[in-house]
Amino acid sequence: MKGTVEIELFKSPNNIIITREIHVLNNTSVWFLNGKPATLKTVEEQIADFNIQVDNLCQFLPQDKVGEFTKLSKIELLEATEKSIGSPEMYQFHCELKNFREKERELESLCREKTASLEKMKQRVERYKQDVERYHECKRHVDLIEMLERKRPWVEYENVREQHEEVKQCRNQVKKELKSLREMQAPWTRKIQEAQENLNNLDMKTRDNTAEIRSIFQKCKEKQDALEMKDKQIEEINQAFRMKKDEETNRQKKIHQTQNIIEEWQNELNTMAVCENLQPQIDAVNTELKKLQEEKANIDNDVSDLRAEKNNQEREEKRIIDRLGQLNNIMHMKEENLKMRFRDTHSALMWLRNNKDKFKKQTCEPMMLEINMKDSRHAKYVENHISSNDMRAFVFECQEDMETFLVEVRDHQKLRVNAVCAPAESCAENLPSRPIEELHRYGFYSYLRELFDAPSPVMNYLCNQYRVHDVPVGTQKTRDMIERIIQETNLKHIYTAEERYIIKVSSYTKQTISSNTCLREAQYLTSSVDTEEIGHLENQRQDISNTLKSLDARLTALFERQKLLDHKDNKLRQEKKALLERGNRRRQLESKIGVKYDSLRQLEQDAIDLEKEFQLANVKIKEINKQKAELVTELMHLIKRIIPLKVAKADLACQMTRVTAEKNRLQSEYKAGTVQLRATQQRFHELDNRKQLLYEKCKELMKQAQHICRLGPDQDFPEEFKVAFQTLPNTLEEIDAFLNEEKTRASCFTGLSASVVEEYNKQTQEIQQLTEYLEEKKNELYNYKQNISQVKEKWLNLLKVMIEQINGKFSKFFSSMQCVGEVDLHTENEEEYEKYGIRIRVKFHSSSELHELTPYHHSGGEKTVSTMLYLMALQELNRCPFRVVDEINQGMDPMNERRVFEMVVETACKKRTSQYFLITPKLLQNLTYNDKMTVLFVYNGPFMLGTYEWNIKRFKKRQRRLSSMTES
């Protein structure tokens, strides 16, 4: 199977015929030019020669592209107009300007960047130049410091060597003096040694005498301790006797006290009357207490019941509050979803909530907030059935309210929002074409309206606009039976589990046509809020609050009664306690008296014999006194032995004193010569140690000086160092002062190194190269600016002429319709050539202002009229051999459609205009036609004649016969 499309284009001297064969089986096309096979590229080149641009909406505008035409940006509209009616070089100039401008931007950015880099490099080189000079100056100071540091150890070595020679001479002189003094001290040393030996012998005898005296003293102390122990034993015996005496005295006092207590209690018992009968009174109190206990138990039960009921009510209230929080959170989520997707709609919603007093009747928020799904799984059916524009549209009951709202949010706040007006008559309760029970056999389970809840205005609008009350929803079973359902039910819209079916009947063939699309996932209604449930929960919450207040009042009354009963119970218990105490007092006294008699008998049995105890104590004391006499006798013998030892010790002490005095005299005489000897020895040791230290220091300084000057141990001192050292100071103080001064100066040159000079040379060379490169780019930029200036002048001259011509015709067309329309060139920056555009501004009502044509501010009819008049303004300027407009009049009201048609006829039938094709399924009656117009009718339908049965002559003959019959 194949189909053929043939187009003949006018061209002098011979027309061009383009043929396309479409093969259905392999979905391919074959192209022919004047009957000869050709490639698609060749055909496109021929079309381009005629300036035919199929994708340009200014030349070919089908009905479904009207909205797309109004969505064209100003920039896109300019480019489409240039391609359609502009001279060939105009669009080329525009493209060149955009390319030149892009290259100019790149060059300007590059020049700015390189100029900044060059300036930074020059500044850096200038800093390097100063650093180089400072580096050379620093090098001179460093060299001088190095030479001073080389000379210093040699000067220090020479100073230490001279000190070593001086100390060596002094040491030798002191050594001779020390030898002479030692020879003079020898006799005195022998005498002192003899005196020391005598003193040692006397000291040994004294120590022996002292040891014997200490031994006897120890024995005397032991005897004295024994005597003291005997005195303590006597005191303990006397103390024990005194305690027994005190114990007997206390026993007598207790006996007397016990007898007095027994006598007092016996008198009280004798005076106490016979015990009265208190049992009836106690029984009466017990009866009252029992009644109180029963009443308190009843109150406790009532309190427990009320508390349990209160806890139940509080738990229920918490559950309701939690559920309300969940529902409010769902509504907040829906509002956040609206704010994220449609920020302008959300801003309008906030204004509406704050200004509801400005409206006469009920206003509804965007449908996506007002619609609440009974089951979120069904949200996809509702969202696929209702357009996204209506999902975010506000619903009003009054047309005046809607206009007030739109003026505020669209004109004043410049927000892009949608609004609709619910029908005056109620449609929410409309019945479906058939009960849902009749459709159960096809797998349908509900109509779309039953799947959600919405306020009355919203439901009225949806039933009127989308017939949600007559759109059934089915299951997979429905999908499996779809062909049968289409044939048997005559339904217009059908939903299965995952698809949407739209069924139409052709106006020409009366055949049933169905189309199906997959359901997109729900985005707006997945979170639903049940407003009925919220109202029910609020009522329950109020009822529970009232119940809790009643329970609290009843509990307060019970607590007051409970407190009164507790007070009465305490009073009865105190009365019962007093009665019981009165009955028990006599028995208590009798019992106490018996206990005291027992205690008295026990005290009388515990009597002590003091005479016997006194005799036993005297016997023990006599025995101890006998032992004390023996100890005193032994002590006297020891004292007699210690007296001769004391006398001998005193004699030895006198002898040691005489020998010590003799020794001290000899030592004093010896010391006079020893002081000088020791002083001389000390001085000799000091000089010897100092000589050794200076010698070691000399060796160390020699090594250090050779190391600093990089000389070997046997290497001679270089002549160059001698010459350099002659110009330098000769003392350490002067060298150190000079060295500190040079180091201070050198420390001022921080952060310098030999690489500074190398970097300075490198940067200088780079500056030279960058300067040459920058000069080259500036020349290139100047050439681009010259080219832009030339091309811009040519392009703007052509463009302004074209815009003026379009604006003149566009304004004229609008004026003929008692409206206002303008077309102008729009740009924000003259240098931004890619942002130049054509702006269309229109005004359809005298009360409004000129507004830019947009798909949001104007209605469908206004957009269609504006589009048609703009295309007509291009008609006389068009370079394309023909233009096609498909069903452009379908969105217009009759008045505008008639006016626009007359303008099309007037414009398209002028001389030197391109051919104009207007395709439409219908036209108004009594329109104005022109002789230059050709009307082609395309008939189709089940009653259409066959191709070969069509005979225009026969039709005319029949028409003349019918006319004559009518006249007769």
Side-chain angles (χ1 to χ4, degrees):
M1 294 178 64
K2 68 178 181 179
T4 303
V5 179
E6 185 174 282
I7 299 175
E8 183 173 358
L9 301 176
F10 172 79
K11 184 178 182 182
S12 181
N14 298 318
N15 291 352
I16 294 178
I17 300 174
I18 301 174
T19 306
R20 180 184 183 185
E21 288 186 359
I22 304 173
H23 297 268
V24 178
L25 293 178
N26 52 4
N27 193 23
T28 58
S29 296
V30 180
W31 297 86
F32 298 90
L33 279 176
N34 295 326
K36 298 179 181 179
T39 62
L40 176 60
K41 184 176 182 182
T42 305
V43 174
E44 290 175 344
E45 290 174 353
Q46 287 289 339
I47 293 174
D49 291 341
F50 284 97
N51 194 34
I52 298 173
Q53 304 164 22
V54 179
D55 57 345
N56 191 336
L57 297 180
C58 290
Q59 292 186 4
F60 294 88
L61 185 64
Q63 181 190 10
D64 58 345
K65 296 292 186 178
V66 174
E68 186 175 335
F69 181 88
T70 58
K71 291 181 181 178
L72 285 177
S73 66
K74 295 184 282 291
I75 299 169
E76 294 170 338
L77 183 59
L78 174 60
E79 292 184 356
T81 305
E82 284 179 328
K83 293 176 183 178
S84 177
I85 67 171
S87 59
E89 60 271 15
M90 180 188 292
Y91 184 67
Q92 182 180 354
F93 286 158
H94 193 183
C95 293
E96 288 179 0
L97 281 174
K98 290 191 285 186
N99 294 333
F100 285 160
R101 178 56 183 160
E102 184 65 27
K103 188 63 178 179
E104 182 187 20
R105 283 199 200 94
E106 294 177 1
L107 287 173
E108 286 176 348
S109 176
L110 180 63
C111 289
R112 284 196 301 271
E113 181 182 347
K114 295 301 180 183
T115 302
S117 299
L118 182 61
E119 186 62 28
K120 289 181 181 178
M121 291 176 68
K122 287 181 178 179
Q123 294 175 2
R124 194 182 304 118
V125 165
E126 190 61 29
R127 291 197 301 271
Y128 282 156
K129 184 178 180 180
Q130 298 174 3
D131 291 343
V132 169
E133 293 175 356
R134 293 174 65 241
Y135 173 77
H136 289 305
E137 185 178 354
C138 179
K139 187 71 167 58
R140 289 193 296 273
H141 290 298
V142 170
D143 292 342
L144 183 57
I145 289 171
E146 184 178 358
M147 193 56 66
L148 285 169
E149 289 178 343
R150 286 177 175 175
K151 181 174 182 180
R152 190 182 188 286
W154 288 105
V155 173
E156 189 176 3
Y157 165 74
E158 187 62 28
N159 291 342
V160 173
R161 189 188 65 77
E162 291 175 358
Q163 293 177 15
H164 176 265
E165 291 299 327
E166 292 176 2
V167 171
K168 184 178 179 183
Q169 292 178 3
C170 291
R171 172 186 170 278
N172 294 336
Q173 182 65 32
V174 172
K175 187 177 180 181
K176 293 178 180 179
E177 294 178 3
L178 183 61
K179 183 178 179 183
S180 175
L181 288 172
R182 283 177 177 171
E183 292 176 352
M184 293 172 61
Q185 288 291 98
W188 295 103
T189 303
R190 288 194 299 273
K191 292 180 181 179
I192 291 172
Q193 287 178 351
E194 292 175 357
Q196 183 63 39
E197 290 177 359
N198 292 333
L199 191 61
N200 290 339
N201 292 331
L202 291 173
D203 183 61
M204 186 177 297
K205 291 178 181 179
T206 301
R207 281 201 297 272
D208 293 341
N209 182 270
T210 301
E212 188 174 358
I213 291 172
R214 188 179 294 112
S215 175
I216 294 173
F217 265 120
Q218 182 65 29
K219 292 179 181 179
C220 289
K221 186 175 183 308
E222 291 176 358
K223 299 302 180 181
Q224 287 175 350
D225 291 341
L227 286 172
E228 289 177 1
M229 182 61 68
K230 296 302 179 181
D231 290 337
K232 286 182 179 181
Q233 290 177 358
I234 292 172
E235 181 63 26
E236 288 174 358
I237 291 170
N238 290 331
Q239 182 67 24
F241 178 73
R242 284 194 297 273
M243 289 176 64
K244 288 184 179 295
K245 190 175 180 181
D246 293 340
E247 184 179 350
E248 177 62 19
T249 302
N250 291 334
R251 187 183 68 83
Q252 293 294 336
K253 288 181 180 180
K254 288 181 180 180
I255 290 173
H256 181 69
Q257 291 173 355
T258 303
Q259 289 174 346
N260 290 336
I261 291 172
I262 292 173
E263 185 177 357
E264 289 176 1
W265 286 349
Q266 190 66 46
N267 292 335
E268 183 181 357
L269 186 61
N270 293 334
T271 57
M272 185 176 294
V274 178
C275 182
E276 57 184 328
N277 187 11
L278 301 175
Q279 191 60 38
Q281 298 179 34
I282 293 174
D283 292 341
V285 172
N286 286 335
T287 302
E288 290 292 329
L289 284 173
K290 186 176 180 181
K291 291 179 180 179
L292 283 176
Q293 292 297 330
E294 290 176 354
E295 187 174 357
K296 285 175 67 177
N298 292 333
I299 291 175
D300 288 341
N301 292 334
D302 293 342
V303 169
S304 298
D305 294 341
L306 290 176
R307 281 178 173 170
E309 185 177 355
K310 182 180 179 182
N311 291 335
N312 293 334
Q313 293 293 332
E314 288 175 344
R315 283 195 295 270
E316 182 64 16
E317 183 181 35
K318 184 177 182 303
R319 183 191 67 79
I320 292 172
I321 292 173
D322 292 343
R323 180 56 182 164
L324 285 172
Q326 293 174 359
L327 295 174
N328 291 331
N329 188 44
I330 293 172
M331 178 58 74
H332 179 70
M333 289 170 59
K334 293 178 72 173
E335 290 183 14
E336 287 298 319
N337 187 20
L338 175 68
K339 183 178 180 181
M340 180 178 66
R341 295 177 180 274
F342 312 108
R343 187 170 293 275
D344 284 2
T345 305
H346 184 268
S347 300
L349 173 64
M350 295 296 103
W351 181 88
L352 178 66
R353 288 179 176 176
N354 296 328
N355 297 274
K356 286 198 173 183
D357 57 329
K358 296 182 179 181
F359 303 100
K360 298 179 179 179
K361 293 189 177 181
Q362 182 180 359
T363 60
C364 294
E365 297 180 355
M367 293 189 195
M368 62 182 292
L369 299 182
E370 297 286 8
I371 295 175
N372 292 304
M373 299 304 303
K374 296 179 180 178
D375 189 336
S376 59
R377 292 174 296 180
H378 298 149
K380 60 182 178 180
Y381 303 122
V382 178
E383 288 194 25
N384 279 272
H385 195 70
I386 303 173
S387 69
S388 60
N389 285 338
D390 278 348
M391 285 299 293
R392 55 191 175 95
F394 295 82
V395 183
F396 296 85
E397 281 190 321
C398 175
Q399 181 72 24
E400 184 180 349
D401 286 346
M402 185 179 75
E403 292 176 357
T404 302
F405 173 75
L406 291 178
V407 168
E408 173 63 31
V409 298
R410 284 185 178 175
D411 295 345
H412 297 167
Q413 300 185 28
K414 306 301 181 185
L415 300 177
R416 297 179 177 180
V417 299
N418 295 334
V420 297
C421 186
E425 66 279 3
S426 177
C427 303
E429 302 300 328
N430 286 359
L431 296 176
S433 57
R434 65 188 70 190
I436 191 63
E437 290 76 13
E438 294 183 10
L439 300 178
H440 283 171
R441 57 197 176 103
Y442 299 115
F444 294 107
Y445 58 87
S446 175
Y447 284 107
L448 205 56
R449 181 180 61 183
E450 318 308 327
L451 300 180
F452 64 91
D453 294 322
S456 178
V458 176
M459 189 63 80
N460 285 343
Y461 177 78
L462 294 178
C463 289
N464 180 69
Q465 184 71 19
Y466 293 98
R467 297 186 61 79
V468 294
H469 63 285
D470 204 23
V471 178
V473 180
T475 60
Q476 185 61 35
K477 177 182 178 182
T478 309
R479 173 66 182 85
D480 297 336
M481 302 173 62
I482 194 65
E483 296 295 335
R484 179 183 168 189
I485 293 172
I486 292 173
Q487 294 174 3
E488 296 179 359
T489 61
N490 294 325
L491 294 170
K492 303 299 181 183
H493 284 83
I494 295 173
Y495 284 94
T496 65
E498 298 295 337
E499 292 178 324
R500 175 189 183 187
Y501 286 84
I502 300 176
I503 299 96
K504 297 181 179 179
V505 178
S506 173
S507 301
Y508 306 110
T509 64
K510 303 301 180 182
Q511 292 180 349
T512 301
I513 303 171
S514 66
S515 62
N516 67 309
T517 55
C518 292
L519 298 180
R520 63 180 185 276
E521 291 298 324
Q523 299 177 350
Y524 313 120
L525 304 178
T526 51
S527 301
S528 297
V529 179
D530 191 342
T531 53
E532 291 185 1
E533 184 182 359
I534 291 178
H536 181 65
L537 290 173
E538 289 291 352
N539 294 334
Q540 282 187 329
R541 184 181 178 186
Q542 185 62 38
D543 293 342
I544 289 174
S545 178
N546 296 334
T547 302
L548 287 174
K549 290 179 181 178
S550 175
L551 290 175
D552 288 338
R554 291 171 62 187
L555 281 171
T556 303
L558 289 174
F559 288 146
E560 291 296 329
R561 179 61 181 167
Q562 200 174 41
K563 186 185 297 184
L564 181 63
L565 292 177
D566 288 339
H567 177 71
K568 191 173 182 181
D569 181 85
N570 291 334
K571 187 175 180 181
L572 289 173
R573 290 182 183 278
Q574 290 176 0
E575 184 179 349
K576 179 180 177 182
K577 182 180 179 182
L579 292 173
L580 291 174
E581 286 178 352
R582 285 172 60 187
N584 294 333
R585 180 59 180 169
R586 185 178 183 86
R587 289 191 295 274
Q588 290 177 355
L589 287 174
E590 291 174 351
S591 176
K592 288 181 179 180
I593 290 172
V595 172
K596 285 298 181 181
Y597 273 121
D598 293 338
S599 176
L600 181 62
R601 283 192 294 271
Q602 184 64 39
L603 288 173
E604 289 174 349
Q605 292 175 1
D606 294 338
I608 299 174
D609 189 353
L610 293 178
E611 184 65 26
K612 182 179 178 181
E613 293 294 333
F614 179 73
Q615 292 177 359
L616 289 174
N618 285 335
V619 171
K620 293 179 180 178
I621 290 172
K622 288 179 180 180
E623 182 63 28
I624 291 172
N625 286 333
K626 184 178 179 181
Q627 295 174 1
K628 283 177 65 179
E630 294 176 356
L631 290 172
V632 170
T633 302
E634 294 176 356
L635 180 61
M636 292 303 296
H637 287 301
L638 291 173
I639 291 173
K640 290 178 180 180
R641 287 179 57 193
I642 204 171
I643 292 174
L645 294 174
K646 286 282 188 180
V647 173
K649 183 178 180 181
D651 183 51
L652 288 172
C654 292
Q655 294 181 27
M656 286 185 68
T657 301
R658 288 195 299 273
V659 174
T660 301
E662 180 65 19
K663 177 185 175 184
N664 291 337
R665 184 184 64 77
L666 292 173
Q667 285 179 342
S668 297
E669 294 175 354
Y670 175 76
K671 189 175 181 181
T674 304
V675 171
Q676 186 178 0
L677 177 63
R678 288 179 178 174
T680 305
Q681 285 178 340
Q682 182 68 23
R683 188 180 176 196
F684 173 77
H685 289 310
E686 290 176 355
L687 291 172
D688 188 56
N689 291 335
R690 188 177 177 195
K691 168 183 168 295
Q692 189 63 29
L693 290 174
L694 289 173
Y695 177 72
E696 295 295 332
K697 190 173 182 180
C698 283
K699 290 170 63 178
E700 184 66 27
L701 290 174
M702 174 62 78
K703 292 179 181 179
Q704 184 177 351
Q706 290 175 342
H707 175 72
I708 292 175
C709 294
R710 299 183 181 86
L711 301 176
D714 301 328
Q715 186 177 354
D716 295 335
F717 197 71
E719 189 65 27
E720 58 177 320
F721 286 175
K722 293 180 181 180
V723 174
F725 285 177
Q726 289 177 359
T727 62
L728 300 177
N730 294 322
T731 64
L732 285 177
E733 291 78 6
E734 294 175 346
I735 290 174
D736 288 340
F738 197 10
L739 189 60
N740 289 334
E741 182 180 351
E742 291 301 314
K743 284 183 176 179
T744 302
R745 291 177 179 175
S747 65
C748 297
F749 302 92
T750 57
L752 299 176
S753 65
S755 61
V756 173
V757 179
E758 181 182 353
E759 186 66 22
Y760 174 78
N761 297 331
K762 179 181 177 183
Q763 290 288 335
T764 304
Q765 184 179 0
E766 290 180 357
I767 287 174
Q768 180 64 28
Q769 296 173 353
L770 186 57
T771 302
E772 295 173 357
Y773 177 77
L774 185 59
E775 189 64 30
E776 178 185 346
K777 291 300 177 183
K778 284 183 178 179
N779 292 335
E780 186 178 349
L781 177 60
Y782 176 77
N783 294 334
Y784 267 102
K785 287 183 180 292
Q786 292 296 110
N787 293 336
I788 289 173
S789 178
Q790 296 171 4
V791 176
K792 178 181 178 181
E793 183 177 1
K794 297 176 183 178
W795 177 66
L796 282 179
N797 290 336
L798 295 172
L799 182 61
K800 288 179 180 178
V801 171
M802 182 186 74
I803 297 295
E804 289 175 0
Q805 293 174 343
I806 296 173
N807 182 48
K809 295 183 180 298
F810 189 73
S811 299
K812 178 182 176 183
F813 292 148
F814 261 84
S815 297
S816 66
M817 297 177 62
Q818 286 77 45
C819 300
V820 180
E822 291 182 1
V823 176
D824 60 4
L825 183 63
H826 179 268
T827 180
E828 296 176 358
N829 185 352
E830 291 185 1
E831 303 300 326
E832 302 291 338
Y833 304 109
E834 69 277 6
K835 294 185 180 179
Y836 274 70
I838 289 179
R839 179 173 59 181
I840 301 175
R841 297 194 299 163
V842 295
K843 182 173 74 170
F844 286 91
H845 306 286
S846 58
S847 60
S848 62
E849 299 178 355
L850 275 173
H851 285 284
E852 184 176 342
L853 182 64
T854 64
Y856 307 105
H857 193 274
H858 297 89
S859 65
E862 292 172 344
K863 290 185 289 185
T864 304
V865 170
S866 302
T867 302
M868 194 66 190
L869 294 183
Y870 182 79
L871 295 179
M872 288 167 56
L874 304 183
Q875 176 66 22
E876 295 183 13
L877 308 174
N878 199 359
R879 295 188 297 107
C880 179
F882 64 91
R883 299 172 66 197
V884 178
V885 179
D886 179 23
E887 299 189 22
I888 192 67
N889 57 334
Q890 293 306 296
M892 303 181 191
D893 57 77
M895 182 183 299
N896 285 333
E897 182 179 352
R898 185 176 297 277
R899 290 177 178 176
V900 170
F901 184 81
E902 292 173 355
M903 293 178 191
V904 170
V905 171
E906 179 184 355
T907 304
C909 293
K910 289 181 179 180
K911 292 183 179 181
R912 296 185 300 277
T913 60
S914 59
Q915 193 173 3
Y916 201 99
F917 290 92
L918 175 61
I919 302 173
T920 176
K922 67 178 181 66
L923 286 174
L924 297 174
Q925 296 180 357
N926 301 321
L927 293 174
T928 302
Y929 295 93
N930 192 291
D931 293 339
K932 294 182 180 180
M933 293 174 59
T934 300
V935 181
L936 301 177
F937 294 94
V938 179
Y939 291 97
N940 196 4
F943 306 106
M944 182 63 193
L945 294 175
T947 303
Y948 300 103
E949 297 178 13
W950 185 272
N951 191 327
I952 190 66
K953 293 181 180 180
R954 190 173 67 201
F955 294 157
K956 289 183 177 180
K957 183 179 179 181
R958 183 171 180 270
Q959 194 269 340
R960 286 194 296 270
R961 186 172 66 252
L962 291 174
S963 297
S964 62
M965 289 175 63
T966 303
E967 291 175 358
S968 62

